[in-house]
Amino acid sequence: MTDTNKKDQLYTLIRNNPFISQQDLASELGLSRSAVAGHIAGLIRERRLLGRAYVLPDSRPVLCIGAANLDRKMRTLAALQMGTSNPVRSTEVFGGVGRNIAENLARLSIPVALLTALGDDAAGHALQTHAEDAGIDMRGSLHLSNTSSGTYTAVLDEHGEMLLAMANMQLYEQLTPAFLHSRQPQRAAAALTVCDLNLGHDSVQALLADARQDAGPMGSAAAPLVIVAVSQPKMAHLPQDLTGLRLLILNRGELETRVARALPTAFDVRAACREVQRQGARQVVVTCGGEGVYFTDGDTLDAPIEHLAAREVDAVDVTGAGDAFSAAVCWSLYHDSGDLKLACRRGLKLAAMTLESAATVSPHISAGALDDIDDADLAPPPPTLFQQD
């Protein structure tokens, strides 16, 4: 068999398993490791592979790093009464900010991988199977023995609004800087990295340090970094120096925690966005529920901070809407790399689809969901107190 045929066979093996070792390639093809290394070098010169991670040019994924939980949702059948038993309707679904974003992206038909921590319980096995069936690459995730998988329990009122949530997520403390370093080949293969703040402070700081060293334009070897906040208490995981961060996505309460003050008006929100930019974030997006979204239209301190109104929907369940918004923004960055206003418009559409669904990730989200963006989300905001400057 000719060297060309061997090289083509090797390329096929790598396409089927981008993380296959050189020793396994050598054994499969009956070659020496040095011969395999030579063929790989040739494929890299031909640009059929991108570097030592054996990444195919047409399949660089979005890499999500964060939580994958079993979510329990309990919705009261009437107004909640404290200090007594309340009748509820209960469901269990797969959740976690990182996992939810990854599933939304997979439904939008772009390659996506998830680095998370899973226990060795039934929930962990179910999370793994469900993610893989959805098209999420789980090969780099951490599997922990004698550990329960993460859980998130939300109590919703009769209208579907969250009253209280409780999280058991200590296992994500194992997503340490050392773990992230061990996954460097997979991280280097990403077109975009999306991290949620279930990661600890030191791990987020490590990702930022890498982004500062390797910052480059979209599509280069360095993956731009997006951080998505998950709650006000976990804002403590966000380092003070945000230099190297491409985009921070958070809600108004989380932004208030970051700047340590209330933000009752649009003027206050815009001023806080500018403060976060001065801390090093290139761009900031602030979701304000029914009040819409504020975003930095540009990546300089003199760029305007704009507003888009939320779409009017009959909300069934608010769970997952923010994650859908973040996924659509990341989808836009993956494809277009520049227009944050368009990205937020897409985010508002995907959030509305999720609000209208009882599922944490709407089953109606598919590859064409973001193709048709109308002007509904460009309407001026209603004259509420919050939006008055």
Side-chain angles (χ1 to χ4, degrees):
M1 185 175 292
T2 67
D3 283 349
T4 299
N5 287 337
K6 285 287 188 181
K7 186 166 66 175
D8 288 340
Q9 284 187 347
L10 183 144
Y11 180 79
T12 299
L13 289 172
I14 291 172
R15 177 175 281 277
N16 291 335
N17 179 9
F19 299 103
I20 190 171
S21 70
Q22 286 193 9
Q23 184 58 58
D24 288 341
L25 288 169
S27 298
E28 185 76 23
L29 297 174
L31 297 173
S32 66
R33 285 194 62 177
S34 60
V36 167
H39 285 313
I40 289 171
L43 290 168
I44 291 172
R45 285 194 300 272
E46 295 168 13
R47 300 296 293 169
R48 294 172 71 186
L49 299 178
L50 301 180
R52 293 174 58 193
Y54 316 148
V55 184
L56 304 168
D58 59 350
S59 62
R60 296 183 71 194
V62 174
L63 177 62
C64 300
I65 309 176
N69 305 322
L70 181 65
D71 284 3
R72 300 183 177 97
K73 296 190 287 186
M74 294 180 288
R75 182 168 176 169
T76 62
L77 302 182
L80 180 71
Q81 298 184 50
M82 300 300 293
T84 188
S85 176
N86 289 264
V88 300
R89 183 168 56 251
S90 179
T91 58
E92 288 190 349
V93 297
F94 299 116
V97 171
R99 194 218 67 87
N100 291 347
I101 292 173
E103 185 182 343
N104 276 287
L105 289 171
R107 287 180 175 274
L108 293 170
S109 296
I110 62 174
V112 59
L114 175 63
L115 293 182
T116 190
L118 298 171
D120 59 354
D121 53 2
H125 297 305
L127 282 161
Q128 173 95 14
T129 300
H130 183 271
E132 291 175 341
D133 289 346
I136 301 169
D137 183 350
M138 296 288 289
R139 285 173 292 178
S141 288
L142 182 63
H143 295 266
L144 299 169
S145 300
N146 303 314
T147 303
S148 297
S149 296
T151 59
Y152 170 88
T153 303
V155 179
L156 312 176
D157 67 17
E158 70 273 25
H159 305 296
E161 293 289 337
M162 186 174 70
L163 298 172
L164 176 69
M166 294 168 286
N168 178 14
M169 302 185 186
Q170 288 85 351
L171 80 167
Y172 301 121
E173 295 173 3
Q174 301 302 313
L175 299 178
T176 62
F179 166 78
L180 295 174
H181 180 74
S182 74
R183 300 306 192 264
Q184 185 57 38
Q186 188 174 9
R187 289 171 52 206
L192 181 72
T193 298
V194 186
C195 161
D196 78 36
L197 287 182
N198 285 297
L199 267 69
H201 178 277
D202 291 348
S203 295
V204 178
Q205 188 160 266
L207 291 174
L208 284 166
D210 288 346
R212 284 194 287 272
Q213 292 174 3
D214 299 329
M218 179 71 66
S220 70
L225 177 63
V226 177
I227 292 178
V228 181
V230 300
S231 69
Q232 289 177 255
K234 290 187 178 178
M235 288 302 293
H237 295 180
L238 188 64
Q240 190 61 32
D241 183 2
L242 301 179
T243 305
L245 180 59
R246 168 61 185 270
L247 173 64
L248 176 64
I249 303 175
L250 70 175
N251 65 31
R252 181 161 59 103
E254 292 155 353
L255 182 60
E256 289 178 334
T257 298
R258 178 66 179 186
V259 299
R261 63 179 182 273
L263 304 172
T265 70
F267 177 85
D268 296 320
V269 171
R270 290 186 169 99
C273 286
R274 196 67 79 204
E275 184 175 332
V276 173
Q277 277 191 298
R278 286 194 293 269
Q279 294 166 358
R282 280 178 56 186
Q283 294 180 308
V284 182
V285 172
V286 184
T287 59
C288 300
E291 301 289 349
V293 59
Y294 290 84
F295 61 96
T296 53
D297 190 14
D299 54 10
T300 63
L301 290 174
D302 58 357
I305 297 172
E306 295 197 33
H307 174 267
L308 288 171
R311 291 176 173 233
E312 293 186 7
V313 298
D314 293 324
V316 175
D317 188 338
V318 299
T319 309
D323 303 334
F325 176 92
S326 296
V329 170
C330 292
W331 184 94
S332 287
L333 294 179
Y334 180 86
H335 284 289
D336 306 323
S337 80
D339 190 342
L340 193 56
K341 184 173 187 176
L342 177 59
C344 288
R345 292 174 65 194
R346 289 167 170 160
L348 289 167
K349 179 176 182 180
L350 220 64
M353 292 176 67
T354 306
L355 286 167
E356 292 173 332
S357 169
T360 299
V361 177
S362 171
H364 302 298
I365 293 171
S366 62
L370 299 178
D371 290 345
D372 182 21
I373 299 294
D374 58 33
D375 291 333
D377 50 359
L378 295 180
T384 64
L385 175 63
F386 172 66
Q387 289 165 340
Q388 297 305 305
D389 288 348

